Amino acid sequence: MSAPRHRGWLALLGLLLILGGAACAMMVRSAGGISVRDIRFAGKDGTVMSALLYVPAAATPAARAPGIFAVHGYINSRETQDGFSIEFARRGYVVLALDQTGHGYSGGKAFSNGFGGPDGLKYLRSLPMVDPDQIGLEGHSMGGWTVLAAAAAMPDSYRAIVLEGSSTGAPYAKDGSPIWPRNLALVYSTYDEFSKIMWGVDRAIDVNGSAKLKSVFGTDQTIIAGKLYGAAAAGTARVLYQPVTTHPGDHISTAAIGHATDWFAQTLKGGTPRRSSDQIWYWKEVATGVSLIGFVLLVLGSFDLLVRSAAFAPLRATAIAASTTRDERWRRGFWLSLLVPALLFYPCFIAVYLLVPATVLLPQTVTTQVAVWALASAAAGLALRRFGPRAVPSVASPWGPAIGIALATSAIAYLAVFAVDRLFGTDLRFWIVAVKWPDARQWGIALIYLAPIMVAFLAQQRSVLGLTVGGDSPARSYRSAMLAMSGGIGGLMALIYGVFFATGTLITGFDPLTTVIALQFVAVLPVIAIVAIFAWRRTGSHRAGALLTGVLVTLYVVAGTATQG
């Protein structure tokens, strides 16, 4: 099977999409003269804290503006709050969008120092262009606990708070009451996956009947969404909003963002009036989504250019399909490749959470979970290979050039990510899928996980390429690999969320966090399959593609999750 020659246009297109999307994202962020800066400041015990600071043009030391402290949820980062931050800043608020401790570019361990909340609020109040008497707090999920930690530490330092998909009380926040926190708006979606943990109800749509929430609102009656309870002047105002979305869906919900802007318009003085429907943040999301697509194209195009260079000539070989037909053995192999990773996902993630505490040697729980899942899936695939198609001898690419092209391709792609970070101050993302430039600590952590993830991908991609069939068109080869790799997890998520949206009940409510984490793999796994087939068609081997995706997935996960050890 001969490989096509793209002659560099694929890499160029990818680079143009990356830079063009990032430039458009910066324009959306800075619309109306808003300045967005990447800042660092010292927190408790000298912990370096990271944040994005949004400053409207009218906010100056001579004309101070109200401020909002905005914080993302667990295993996210400051950019996840961009929808909220952009709209707050457009309404005249100075916004500090924090990386929690152990997240993004903030130091320390996850959960430490009140998640970084008290440090962030203290820093925001110290800014010369901020009116310290007009401060709002907004946090999503664990970010809600972050701002509640700030409110508990500095009870007279804010006027209002918005909890997005979050709660007062256990497990990490002070218990709420009719007088604490001050002027609370709860934005709790009708399909929030964490309703049992947050408010003690099985279905998020029933949160208005939560006994815990009633105690915060100071009533024994079912809470009416949209109705104002208490009084803002006394600091006892309460309101419940219920947008129709999920827990991670809050970030891309115009309703959820609009409710937050409305609440601060009612409870803070000095902002610029705008209708809640007047929003532009989604164009930034589209723009960085284009950059994310460009990243994939740059990876493919760079690999194509490198493999045709003299340095990597030993890798070039004709791709030979493993099977001649889709017979019964092929179908068994296909279904095993599709189902095994999906069946192992929850057991692996739960086992790591329960049995493998974060340490210096394994500092990131989510990355450990991903590595164990990948290794377990690969091992199961090897054990079950005898039930699949009979593989024909494949090309054995030399290890040296295969490692070299994987590292070189990754370096080119991540240099583009670095350029975007420095030139435009953003990452490459769409919703919960984000490619970020790792900081120094994260580069070191990546070295811990790189080998096991690479080993897993070497075994796993060999199995997937064992499903290639002679005579298939390129398009069919890509489709088959994408379905084999992602069809299981995609089908599992479709089942879970189909039942969820139909009944309001999350059938994986025993582990909602793993459910939310799984969503990103519905998008990530097809990309891995595309890279695998692309590399195989040019090298005839699984090695270079597996090593390349091993590097990329390791960096993707490490830079995008929390550090606990």
Side-chain angles (χ1 to χ4, degrees):
M1 185 179 293
S2 61
R5 294 179 177 271
H6 292 288
R7 302 187 186 283
W9 67 263
L10 196 59
L12 178 60
L13 176 60
L15 185 59
L16 290 175
L17 290 178
I18 290 172
L19 297 177
C24 290
M26 184 178 70
M27 291 172 61
V28 175
R29 268 182 170 174
S30 58
I34 295 167
S35 167
V36 184
R37 288 185 285 154
D38 179 355
I39 64 168
R40 303 290 186 274
F41 61 92
K44 184 178 180 181
D45 302 324
T47 300
V48 176
M49 300 300 297
S50 158
L52 291 173
L53 180 64
Y54 293 71
V55 182
T60 68
R64 294 186 170 192
I68 294 180
F69 179 37
V71 190
H72 62 86
Y74 183 51
I75 61 174
N76 292 142
S77 62
R78 58 194 190 176
E79 290 88 356
T80 315
Q81 283 290 95
D82 270 350
F84 294 93
S85 299
I86 289 169
E87 297 307 328
F88 293 154
R90 291 181 67 231
R91 287 158 175 78
Y93 305 111
V94 175
V95 183
L96 184 72
L98 185 77
D99 274 333
Q100 293 180 36
T101 48
H103 291 72
Y105 304 129
S106 285
K109 298 179 181 180
F111 307 97
S112 65
N113 297 347
F115 315 96
D119 292 332
L121 178 55
K122 181 179 178 181
Y123 180 82
L124 176 63
R125 288 175 54 82
S126 73
L127 295 173
M129 77 292 290
V130 173
D131 181 351
D133 295 325
Q134 299 294 327
I135 300 291
L137 310 177
E138 183 271 332
H140 179 263
S141 193
M142 200 165 86
W145 299 334
T146 306
V147 297
L148 286 170
M154 306 170 67
D156 298 320
S157 297
Y158 72 101
R159 291 185 61 84
I161 185 169
V162 174
L163 296 181
E164 297 269 352
S166 191
S167 67
T168 59
Y172 293 112
K174 176 182 173 182
D175 287 335
S177 72
I179 61 173
W180 191 90
R182 182 181 291 113
N183 292 335
L184 166 68
L186 175 65
V187 182
Y188 208 81
S189 301
T190 54
Y191 297 104
D192 192 291
E193 293 89 339
F194 294 85
S195 59
K196 186 69 173 180
I197 295 172
M198 298 286 188
W199 294 105
V201 293
D202 292 327
R203 303 193 313 162
I205 198 170
D206 299 326
V207 73
N208 58 349
S210 161
K212 178 181 175 182
L213 187 59
K214 289 178 184 178
S215 70
V216 177
F217 274 57
T219 180
D220 58 0
Q221 303 296 312
T222 299
I223 296 163
I224 300 173
K227 176 183 176 181
L228 181 66
Y229 293 76
T236 60
R238 300 282 186 269
V239 69
L240 169 67
Y241 298 115
Q242 292 186 281
V244 182
T245 186
T246 64
H247 186 81
D250 289 340
H251 296 299
I252 53 172
S253 166
T254 55
I257 293 171
H259 291 319
T261 61
D262 276 348
W263 186 244
F264 287 131
Q266 295 176 52
T267 54
L268 298 180
K269 297 177 181 179
T272 303
R274 286 184 184 271
R275 299 186 312 275
S276 60
S277 60
D278 181 359
Q279 299 181 24
I280 65 170
W281 61 268
Y282 40 78
W283 294 114
K284 187 265 177 184
E285 197 75 16
V286 170
T288 53
V290 168
S291 292
L292 192 59
I293 293 171
F295 177 82
V296 177
L297 296 181
L298 180 59
V299 168
L300 299 177
S302 298
F303 186 94
D304 186 63
L305 286 172
L306 289 169
V307 80
R308 290 192 286 110
S309 68
F312 296 105
L315 292 175
R316 295 197 293 270
T318 300
I320 302 172
S323 300
T324 58
T325 184
R326 287 176 168 80
D327 57 12
E328 184 62 30
R329 287 183 66 91
W330 183 93
R331 285 189 287 273
R332 285 201 302 268
F334 175 82
W335 282 106
L336 288 171
S337 294
L338 186 146
L339 293 175
V340 167
L343 294 174
L344 290 175
F345 190 83
Y346 280 92
C348 288
F349 271 64
I350 293 171
V352 170
Y353 177 78
L354 294 176
L355 303 175
V356 187
T359 64
V360 174
L361 295 178
L362 294 172
Q364 293 186 336
T365 297
V366 172
T367 311
T368 304
Q369 289 172 318
V370 170
V372 169
W373 174 49
L375 287 168
S377 299
L382 290 174
L384 296 170
R385 181 179 292 175
R386 66 181 181 275
F387 297 107
R390 296 181 179 89
V392 300
S394 61
V395 176
S397 291
W399 283 107
I403 293 170
I405 200 170
L407 294 177
T409 303
S410 302
I412 293 170
Y414 268 86
L415 281 174
V417 177
F418 176 78
V420 165
D421 179 73
R422 293 301 184 266
L423 293 174
F424 305 110
T426 188
D427 54 13
L428 283 54
R429 73 167 51 236
F430 186 80
W431 192 26
I432 55 175
V433 177
V435 174
K436 296 177 62 66
W437 175 255
D439 64 11
R441 177 169 70 163
Q442 290 164 345
W443 281 109
I445 292 171
L447 293 176
I448 296 173
Y449 292 101
L450 183 59
I453 291 177
M454 274 187 166
V455 168
F457 277 22
L458 282 165
Q460 182 266 351
Q461 289 190 20
R462 186 174 181 182
S463 296
V464 169
L465 292 177
L467 298 171
T468 53
V469 178
D472 274 1
S473 66
R476 189 170 189 183
S477 294
Y478 282 112
R479 286 198 304 270
S480 293
M482 291 167 68
L483 186 57
M485 285 199 67
S486 65
I489 200 74
L492 180 61
M493 289 298 100
L495 172 63
I496 291 169
Y497 279 91
V499 173
F500 193 31
F501 294 145
T503 67
T505 299
L506 185 68
I507 57 178
T508 53
F510 56 86
D511 192 357
L513 177 61
T514 295
T515 302
V516 171
I517 291 172
L519 287 172
Q520 64 190 298
F521 289 103
V522 177
V524 171
L525 291 176
V527 173
I528 296 173
I530 289 170
V531 175
I533 294 295
F534 189 92
W536 169 73
R537 283 171 52 80
R538 286 150 180 79
T539 66
S541 171
H542 69 289
R543 287 181 180 173
L547 294 170
L548 173 57
T549 51
V551 174
L552 295 177
V553 169
T554 301
L555 293 176
Y556 164 78
V557 177
V558 167
T561 190
T563 300
Q564 295 94 354

